[in-house]
Each structure stands twice: as C-alpha cells, then as structure tokens.
Amino acid sequence: MSESRMRWLPFELHTHTFHSDGKQSLLELAEGAKELGLAGVALTDHNTMTGLADRERVVEQTGVEVIRGLEWTTFFGHMVTLGIQDYVDWRNLSPFHIHRGIEGVHRQGGLVGVAHPFRVGSPMCTGCFWEFEVSDWAQVDYIEVWSGLFPSIRRNNERAFAFWTELLNQGHRISATCGRDWHVAEPPAEPIAATFLAIPAEETMPGPLAGAALAALGRGAAAISMGPLPLISIRSDSSAPLAGIGEVIETQAAAPTVQLELSVDFSVREGLWELQKPEVELRITSNLGTLMSCELSQALPKVVCPLKTQGLAWIRGELYGVFHGARTMIGFTNPIYFEH
C-alpha cells in the first residue's frame, strides 16, 4: 500500500479498569486517552473481559477506539492478548506449556505479547517477571519493551530492550511495543509513550480502526515514542519505495546500495511533550551495530543517506534528545528486515 495513504496513529496497548485492579471505568479511560492525543486503547484487564461490556457505547461517545484484550496474569509471567472475542483460559498452563495458550489466542485471530518481562516479580508483583519457557519465539507476536511512565529511564526496560535486540540478532522477527500499564484516571505525572501504528487512511474511524491497528501490529508496522516520531524507509535510486517499517527487503532484487530515508514527525501529539533542545539525533542501529546518525529538527525533519545492504539482517531507528530534563532515548522504530 502506498505510504501516502498510511497514517501513523498513537495507541495505548496496556490498560486496566475497576473490572480488575484499575481505578477507572472504561469511559474514564477513553476520555483520558482522548486528552492525551491517543487514537485508541486496548483494554487488557487481568484475567477478565467483563469491562468490555460498554465498549460500543464508549467508542461512540468518545471517538476513541477500544481494542478487545485481556492480560493473562499468572505466577510465571503476564501475557497481553489482543483481538480475541472469547476468553482463553490460562489456568492449565505450566511454565513449559505457554504455547498451548498462545495457540488458543491465534485460533481466534488474536495477537500475544509478553508484558514487562523484566519487572520485579514476587512478592512485590506476583508473576510480573517473565519465567515461561518459550520454545519458539516466532509464535510470540510482540514484546512490551517499554513499560510504565517515562519508560526510557527505567532499568527493567533497558533489559527488555536489550533482550529484544538479542532476539533480532538471533534471526527472530518479533515486534516491540510500549505499554503504560494504565490503572488510574489521573493526569500522568511523567511523560507517556505511545505505540504508533501504520493505518490505511480509509480505516482511521472507530470500528474499522481496531482491525487495522491489530493488522499493523501483526506485521510490525509500529514505532514507539514519548514525543516526536522517528520513521525510516528504504528506497531505490529511482526513489521508488522498497520497504518500510516492519517489511522485508529482498536484497537480490535491490542494488548493493539503497537510499535510506530518515525522518522525524514533530507534529504528533503536539503540545503534550517537551524538548529542551530543538535538535534530536536519529541513530540507525542494526545487527552490525550502529551504522549512522544524523541531527534533525523541525527546520530539517528529513534526510536521505546511502545504505550498503551487505551483511544486514535488520535495521531500526532510535531517536535521542534532551526530553523533559533528561538526555535519553525518546523513541524507536520497529525493524526493516533484509532477506539475502
């Protein structure tokens, strides 16, 4: 699909209401999401889907999409399941049989994601630390590598991000998301991150939006940011698009050197975040390490650089800057993959 027909819309994919341990109704959640410039949320209450009873009314009243979900909350880890219609039971799963549950979600056309895999576990947070044995990471759709408020400065998220990178280097094509783990209907005290998904322009209204969001996440067309949005794409010498975020480029069909477009969208969720310096650094990392970096700003939001494809298995963009008083990673893209 043409890039010009795609819109990058922000979502919060990990939320709770008073139907589990949250302190908000679904309506309060959606109203809060609207104030934060989000297009949609996934309701992922712990081991229950009863909070979705008012879904259609809330979506109609607020204009905020609500994706059906559930967070499996077990002694061995928490797994977010999205896009399911019926409850999938996890109670017969030992640490060695997580794939039985994953298969049950996939049979409904749903997605599964590992939630906050390195958060402190028992006794502080029962099961929060991931201990399930995953024998086939190809069956896991995504990992929540950023969790909580101001996620880039949290040590457990650094571990999750490094683990995701290790999986990519092992040849797994697995997506990454952020998740606020939103429980309370109050303005956030620290910056939030959103998972931006590439949505066809004709499917941006509530209703079709939920399916389009799940499809985007399933194919890895996702970028994460607390502020301005980093984006990357690969083009041929003729400027024809070859691959975008989440896609695979066949290197045999491409030239040994392609054109890599790096850009930053400073308009997303405008007014809801703060940069202390107007310039940001967009760094391109890969299985071969850091390949390049460039300084971008609202005055210069896009550059095109040559990229040699030899030896590359994946690349991603990482955005750094002085954000809310700290020099930190602001956001990152999911990978573009290479097939040799």
Side-chain angles (χ1 to χ4, degrees):
M1 183 171 291
S2 171
E3 291 181 359
S4 63
R5 295 180 59 195
M6 306 296 287
R7 295 183 60 195
W8 289 90
L9 299 183
F11 290 80
E12 171 52 61
L13 299 177
H14 190 160
T15 71
H16 299 280
T17 68
F18 54 63
H19 285 259
S20 60
D21 63 343
K23 297 181 180 179
Q24 57 191 342
S25 66
L26 182 57
L27 178 59
E28 289 172 326
L29 170 63
E31 289 174 337
K34 190 172 185 177
E35 292 177 0
L36 292 172
L38 301 175
V41 298
L43 180 57
T44 55
D45 274 323
H46 297 284
N47 298 335
T48 181
M49 299 178 71
T50 58
L52 290 161
D54 293 335
R55 175 182 175 272
E56 292 185 5
R57 179 182 64 83
V58 169
V59 171
E60 182 178 357
Q61 184 171 337
T62 64
V64 173
E65 184 60 274
V66 177
I67 298 170
R68 299 175 61 87
L70 169 78
E71 183 177 6
W72 286 354
T73 308
T74 82
F75 292 113
F76 313 113
H78 295 189
M79 176 170 277
V80 176
T81 64
L82 302 179
I84 56 176
Q85 297 299 313
D86 301 311
Y87 184 87
V88 178
D89 201 349
W90 53 267
R91 289 172 295 179
N92 62 341
L93 301 178
S94 77
F96 311 104
H97 298 99
I98 187 65
H99 286 284
R100 288 207 304 252
I102 292 174
E103 289 168 4
V105 174
H106 285 167
R107 278 196 297 271
Q108 292 191 34
L111 304 178
V112 297
V114 175
H116 44 65
F118 293 100
R119 185 179 294 178
V120 175
S122 302
M124 296 181 65
C125 181
T126 301
C128 282
F129 189 91
W130 184 260
E131 296 183 271
F132 280 110
E133 182 177 296
V134 177
S135 59
D136 184 4
W137 281 99
Q139 298 303 309
V140 177
D141 298 296
Y142 67 92
I143 300 174
E144 187 182 85
V145 301
W146 273 9
S147 177
L149 298 175
F150 213 157
S152 65
I153 65 173
R154 295 175 179 261
R155 183 161 296 181
N156 63 302
N157 291 334
E158 291 179 7
R159 292 186 66 187
F161 195 88
F163 178 64
W164 175 48
T165 302
E166 181 183 338
L167 289 175
L168 294 176
N169 285 336
Q170 291 173 5
H172 300 289
R173 294 175 180 173
I174 186 168
S175 300
T177 68
C178 65
R180 176 177 169 182
D181 206 350
W182 190 355
H183 284 75
V184 182
E186 295 177 355
E190 296 180 286
I192 70 161
T195 300
F196 289 78
L197 300 173
I199 307 295
E202 64 271 17
E203 297 182 1
T204 55
M205 296 298 293
L209 181 54
L214 290 168
L217 180 57
R219 65 178 186 270
I224 286 77
S225 184
M226 299 184 290
L229 181 65
L231 297 169
I232 59 173
S233 63
I234 291 178
R235 302 179 181 277
S236 67
D237 290 332
S238 64
S239 296
L242 293 176
I245 295 169
E247 296 181 336
V248 180
I249 180 170
E250 298 280 350
T251 55
Q252 291 182 345
T257 300
V258 295
Q259 300 302 308
L260 176 62
E261 182 177 292
L262 301 81
S263 64
V264 176
D265 185 347
F266 290 89
S267 68
V268 296
R269 299 182 56 248
E270 200 167 10
L272 296 169
W273 47 265
E274 179 185 357
L275 286 172
Q276 273 68 59
K277 291 180 62 178
E279 299 83 15
V280 292
E281 176 196 1
L282 184 50
R283 189 180 303 171
I284 301 300
T285 60
S286 73
N287 57 298
L288 302 179
T290 300
L291 300 178
M292 66 182 75
S293 68
C294 64
E295 192 173 86
L296 297 173
S297 65
Q298 288 184 325
L300 180 65
K302 180 172 66 175
V303 296
V304 178
C305 303
L307 175 71
K308 294 183 179 180
T309 61
Q310 184 176 6
L312 289 179
W314 59 269
I315 62 170
R316 71 173 173 232
E318 299 176 5
L319 188 67
Y320 296 85
V322 182
F323 186 81
H324 285 257
R327 170 74 184 182
T328 186
M329 185 189 293
I330 298 170
F332 57 93
T333 73
N334 270 269
I336 296 175
Y337 301 98
F338 295 82
E339 191 77 52
H340 295 281

